[in-house]
């Protein structure tokens, strides 16, 4: 389990560092929304093949929750993954803060209303995060299932995450991942920390929905 803990910590660190780092250090003026979306997607692809053989590369508490609901992991492992993921996200955000000219004020945190890049409100944020997380879990659980395309799983998951960001960056900055939201929010504080509950609740609901599709065999292929 030490190897799995280390893998999830490192993987989540990399996701936050490269994904949020693209937003903070690259910015909309230089890499643009598409560049930020691809940074998140490529980071997942890299880690899927780098740490996937060790831990499955969840790097996301919502993914671990969805896998638990689907019956693909136990509660003890899920909690261990959560701890590693939150620690990794905090470290990743801290590295960005030590590099960024703005320090810890801007770390790619998620938000709604004034915290939303496009000025979207709470209802839009909740709706997007629930739906996007459910879709993300369906893609992950489908491609990693017994009859999934294992060799291409990392690519499929990374592309899905990139598309989610292309659609949703203007809404919330895109979470679909409580750890990715918590790391930057904890260090930035203020509005980001007061709004972070949304990015725990909505992805959790979406993860349960996605997991239930497989728990109830609704999206499991026929034997």
């Amino acid at each position: 389990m030490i190897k799995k803990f280390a893998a999830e910590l490192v993987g989540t660190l990399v996701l936050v560092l490269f994904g949020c780092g693209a937003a903070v250090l690259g910015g909309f003026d230089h890499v643009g929304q598409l560049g930020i979306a691809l940074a998140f997607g490529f980071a997942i692809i890299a880690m899927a093949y780098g740490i996937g053989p060790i831990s499955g590369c969840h790097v996301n508490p919502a993914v671990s929750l969805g896998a638990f609901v689907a019956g693909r992991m136990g509660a003890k492992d899920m909690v261990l993954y959560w701890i590693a993921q939150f620690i990794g996200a905090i470290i990743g955000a801290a590295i960005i803060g030590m590099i960024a000219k703005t320090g810890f004020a801007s770390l790619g945190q998620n938000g709604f209303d004034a915290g939303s890049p496009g000025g979207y409100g709470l209802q839009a944020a909740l709706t997007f995060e629930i739906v996007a997380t459910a879709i993300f879990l369906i893609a992950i659980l489908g491609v990693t299932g017994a009859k999934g395309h294992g060799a291409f799983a990392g690519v499929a998951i990374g592309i899905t995450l990139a598309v989610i960001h292309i659609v949703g960056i203007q809404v919330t900055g895109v979470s679909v991942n409580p750890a990715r939201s918590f790391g930057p929010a904890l260090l930035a504080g203020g509005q980001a920390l007061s709004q972070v509950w949304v990015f725990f609740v909505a992805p959790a609901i979406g993860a349960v929905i996605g997991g239930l599709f497989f728990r109830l065999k609704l999206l499991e292929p026929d034997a």
Side-chain angles (χ1 to χ4, degrees):
M1 288 306 298
I2 294 177
K3 289 183 178 180
K4 290 182 178 181
F5 185 93
E8 287 298 306
L9 188 155
V10 170
T12 313
L13 184 161
V14 170
L15 176 68
V16 171
L17 178 60
F18 287 163
C20 296
V24 176
L25 305 176
F28 285 96
D29 293 338
H30 297 286
V31 300
Q33 182 167 320
L34 178 59
I36 296 167
L38 291 177
F40 276 101
F42 288 159
I44 281 290
I45 292 173
M47 290 298 97
Y49 294 105
I51 67 169
I54 301 171
S55 68
C57 187
H58 291 192
V59 300
N60 180 340
V63 172
S64 300
L65 176 60
F68 171 74
V69 172
R72 297 191 187 179
M73 79 181 305
K76 182 178 179 181
D77 285 353
M78 178 180 68
V79 172
L80 184 74
Y81 274 41
W82 284 353
I83 295 170
Q85 290 155 2
F86 279 108
I87 293 173
I90 293 169
I91 296 172
I95 293 172
I96 296 171
M98 289 187 286
I99 297 170
K101 294 178 180 179
T102 55
F104 294 95
S106 178
L107 297 171
Q109 52 263 40
N110 300 117
F112 55 91
D113 289 334
S116 162
Y120 288 83
L122 177 58
Q123 181 179 342
L126 285 168
T127 302
F128 173 77
E129 291 291 336
I130 290 171
V131 173
T133 307
I135 292 170
F136 193 36
L137 262 295
I138 289 169
I140 292 170
L141 294 173
V143 79
T144 58
K147 292 192 175 182
H149 302 283
F152 298 98
V155 175
I157 294 167
I159 290 174
T160 304
L161 186 60
V163 171
I164 287 171
H165 277 78
I166 291 171
V167 174
I169 282 179
Q170 289 298 314
V171 182
T172 61
V174 180
S175 172
V176 301
N177 183 336
R180 169 261 180 272
S181 296
F182 182 72
L186 178 67
L187 299 181
Q191 175 182 266
L193 194 56
S194 70
Q195 294 185 348
V196 77
W197 66 270
V198 170
F199 307 105
F200 278 71
V201 174
I205 294 171
V208 170
I209 293 171
L212 283 174
F213 273 108
F214 290 86
R215 183 80 176 200
L216 300 176
K217 309 295 183 184
L218 297 175
L219 294 180
E220 289 282 4
D222 294 331

